[in-house]
Amino acid sequence: MEIGMKNRGKKDKKKGLYMVFIGYLAWFSIGTVLLIGIWIAAFSVCANMGWVCRADWMQAEIDRISEEITGGDIVPEDLLPEGSSYGVYSRNGEYLYGNFSEEDREKAFRYMEEGQNQADGSAYYRYLKKDNGEICIIRYNMFAQFANPVLRKVSPNAEHLFVHLFLLLFLLQAVWIARRFGTAMKRHLEVLGRVTEMIRAENLDFERESSNIREIDEILNSLFRMKEELKHSLECQWETEKRKEEQIAALAHDIKTPLTVIRGNAELAAEECGGDIREYNQCILEGAAEIGDYLEALQEMLHPKVSGEGGNEKKLQEADWRKFCKRVIRQAEILAAGKNILVTSEYINCAEVLAIDERKLYRAVMNIISNAAEYCPGQGRIHIKFQCAEPGEAGGQDAEERGAFQICVSDSGPGFDKEALVHGTEQFYQGDKSRSGKGHYGMGLYIAETFVKSQGGRLTLGSSKELGGAEVVIEGNMKRPFPTLERP
C-alpha cells in the first residue's frame, strides 16, 4: 500500500478492486488444480507401490481363480479374495453352502435370473457354472482398498479417505486465501479509517494520502476534498467568531464612555439634591455600577485568563450574606415598582457570612427576579426566600466552612407548563407561550443556571403552591441535599 503518493505518473499502476479479487481468485484456482494433481499423483504412487489395491483388483482376482472354482468339487471360502462373499446353488436354485446372509441368498439368485451384474449400489455379482452343474455366485465390490489389513479395517474404501483428505486440504486452502485477501483489504482500508478519524477529531492538517486500489483512492480523494471544505468552513467560522468578539469587545469599551458620563453627573447631582430625588439618584448610581460590573464580566468572557481548569475555576470568597440579601431585595423592589408588584421576603437560618462568588450569584438571582417581574401581572406579587443550613448539618467540616444556602423566587404570574419545566433552562428555549413575548429570547434562565453551575450549585424550576405562578430555586455550596432545607 502506498501512502502519501503525490506522483500523478503512478496513477496508471493503480488496480481496480475487481482485479484484486480476480488475482486472489486466480491463486485459488491454481491452488485447487495443484491439489487435484497432488491427489492423483499420491493415489497413483500408493497404487504402484502396492499400498493401495486398485478398484478392479477383486474382479481380476476372481478371473484368476475362476477355473479352479468351476473345476473343483467344493469352493473353499479362503480361495476367494478378502472382502467378497459367495454362495453355491443347485441347478434348481437351492442354496447349498457359502457365506451369504439369509437376505442375500434369495437376492443373489434372483439377480442371476434377471441377468443383473450390478446391484445394491457398489456391489457387483459374478456367476460361475461349475462342471458338476452347480452355480457359484460371487458378490464383490469395485473400489480401491488398502493392502494393509489395519488400514482396510479403519477405512474399507481407500478412495473415500483420499477424497476426504482432498476436501480438507481444499477447505484449508480456501480459508488461507480468504484470510490473505481479508488481511490485504484491511491494510488498504486502514488509510480510510485513519483519514476519517483525523477528520472526526477535526485534525485537518494532514497531507493527501492514497492507495494502490483505484476505488479506495477515489474515496480518499473525496475525503480529502471534504477535509479541505471543512477546514475552509471552520476557518471562516473562526474568523467570524473572532470578528464578533472584537466587535463586542469594542462595543463594551465604547459603552464605558457614556456610562462614565452618567455616573459622573449622577455623583454631582447627589451633592446638590435631597429627599426622594437623592434616593432616585442613588438608584441610578447603583444601576451604573451594575452595568460596569456586567461590562467587566463580558470582557472577562471574551478574554478568559488561563487557569488549571480552563478559566472556569470557582471564585468563592467570604461575603456578607445579610447585606447581599438586602441588596437583592432592594433591586427587586426597584424592578417591580413600575407595575406596582408587591415584593415580599423571608429569611430562614440566615447566616452572617457565606463563601460565594457574589458577583455571579447576584447576576443569576437578578435574572430570575427580572423574569418574574416581567411576567407577573400588575398588582401581582413576588416572594423571595433566603435559607441557609445550620453549621454541621451537611455532616463535616466542609459544610461548616462553606455553608449551604437556598434562594427561592416565586411569583403570581402564569407559571411554567410541563414542557417548560423540563426545557426552560435551555438556551433560546421559548416553548412556554404564556411566558414568551415582550422581548423574551429564552436567555434569562439559561444565563442564571450557567452562573449557578459555575460555582457548584444547581437551579430547579417548579410551580408555586402559595402564589400559583412560577418558582425558581437556586441551591449552592451543596455536595448533597440537606434535610433541613425546605425543598419546593
Side-chain angles (χ1 to χ4, degrees), residues 167-334:
L167 291 176
L168 177 61
L169 293 175
F170 178 82
L171 291 176
L172 290 176
Q173 176 205 226
V175 172
W176 181 74
I177 291 291
R179 286 182 61 87
R180 287 292 302 272
F181 180 76
T183 303
M185 291 306 301
K186 182 179 179 181
R187 288 200 307 270
H188 290 303
L189 293 173
E190 279 177 354
V191 64
L192 285 177
R194 189 163 59 250
V195 169
T196 53
E197 178 61 24
M198 286 189 290
I199 293 176
R200 185 197 66 80
E202 296 186 1
N203 179 18
L204 306 180
D205 293 326
F206 60 88
E207 296 295 327
R208 183 193 297 267
E209 299 195 28
S210 62
S211 168
N212 59 357
I213 296 180
R214 188 179 302 112
E215 289 80 0
I216 295 179
D217 199 58
E218 290 173 356
I219 297 174
L220 285 171
N221 290 336
S222 298
L223 288 174
F224 184 79
R225 289 193 296 269
M226 183 178 71
K227 182 266 290 189
E228 291 296 315
E229 292 295 329
L230 179 60
K231 183 178 181 181
H232 177 71
S233 176
L234 289 176
E235 287 175 350
C236 291
Q237 181 180 346
W238 293 333
E239 187 65 26
T240 301
E241 292 293 331
K242 183 179 179 181
R243 287 198 302 268
K244 186 186 296 184
E245 289 181 3
E246 290 174 352
Q247 291 172 359
I248 295 174
L251 180 61
H253 182 270
D254 292 342
I255 292 175
K256 285 186 176 181
T257 300
L259 180 62
T260 302
V261 175
I262 294 172
R263 184 182 297 171
N265 287 317
E267 290 174 351
L268 291 174
E271 298 176 359
E272 302 294 334
C273 61
D276 292 340
I277 297 177
R278 186 181 185 87
E279 183 177 351
Y280 299 152
N281 191 74
Q282 182 62 30
C283 291
I284 294 174
L285 287 172
E286 291 177 358
E290 289 185 15
I291 294 175
D293 290 341
Y294 292 158
L295 291 176
E296 183 181 348
L298 180 60
Q299 289 180 330
E300 288 180 359
M301 291 172 62
L302 295 174
H303 305 287
K305 296 179 180 179
V306 179
S307 65
E309 298 180 7
N312 292 325
E313 73 279 6
K314 303 174 187 177
K315 298 179 181 179
L316 303 180
Q317 296 180 351
E318 289 190 351
D320 188 326
W321 181 248
R322 297 176 187 272
K323 183 178 179 181
F324 173 83
C325 295
K326 290 179 180 179
R327 180 186 175 195
V328 170
I329 296 299
R330 176 177 173 80
Q331 191 64 27
E333 290 174 344
I334 294 173

Side-chain angles (χ1 to χ4, degrees), residues 109-129:
F109 196 82
R110 185 173 71 250
Y111 290 152
M112 183 191 71
E113 292 179 331
E114 295 173 354
Q116 296 188 40
N117 293 324
Q118 182 182 5
D120 300 335
S122 62
Y124 287 81
Y125 289 88
R126 181 73 175 273
Y127 311 111
L128 299 174
K129 189 173 183 181

Side-chain angles (χ1 to χ4, degrees), residues 438-488:
K438 302 180 182 180
H440 172 62
Y441 298 105
M443 292 295 293
L445 293 177
Y446 167 75
I447 293 173
E449 185 181 49
T450 301
F451 290 150
V452 171
K453 284 186 174 181
S454 69
Q455 49 186 318
R458 63 184 173 188
L459 184 145
T460 308
L461 305 183
S463 299
S464 174
K465 296 181 180 179
E466 181 181 354
L467 301 183
E471 186 170 72
V472 183
V473 180
I474 293 176
E475 295 173 309
N477 294 351
M478 303 177 71
K479 288 189 175 180
R480 55 183 179 272
F482 288 76
T484 57
L485 291 183
E486 298 179 4
R487 307 179 68 81

Side-chain angles (χ1 to χ4, degrees), residues 159-170:
E159 295 175 358
H160 288 174
L161 180 60
F162 275 87
V163 169
H164 291 159
L165 289 175
F166 171 79
L167 291 176
L168 177 61
L169 293 175
F170 178 82

Side-chain angles (χ1 to χ4, degrees), residues 70 89-92 129-135:
T70 57
Y89 298 81
S90 64
R91 290 188 179 91
N92 57 6
K129 189 173 183 181
K130 294 169 59 63
D131 294 341
N132 59 8
E134 297 176 347
I135 301 171

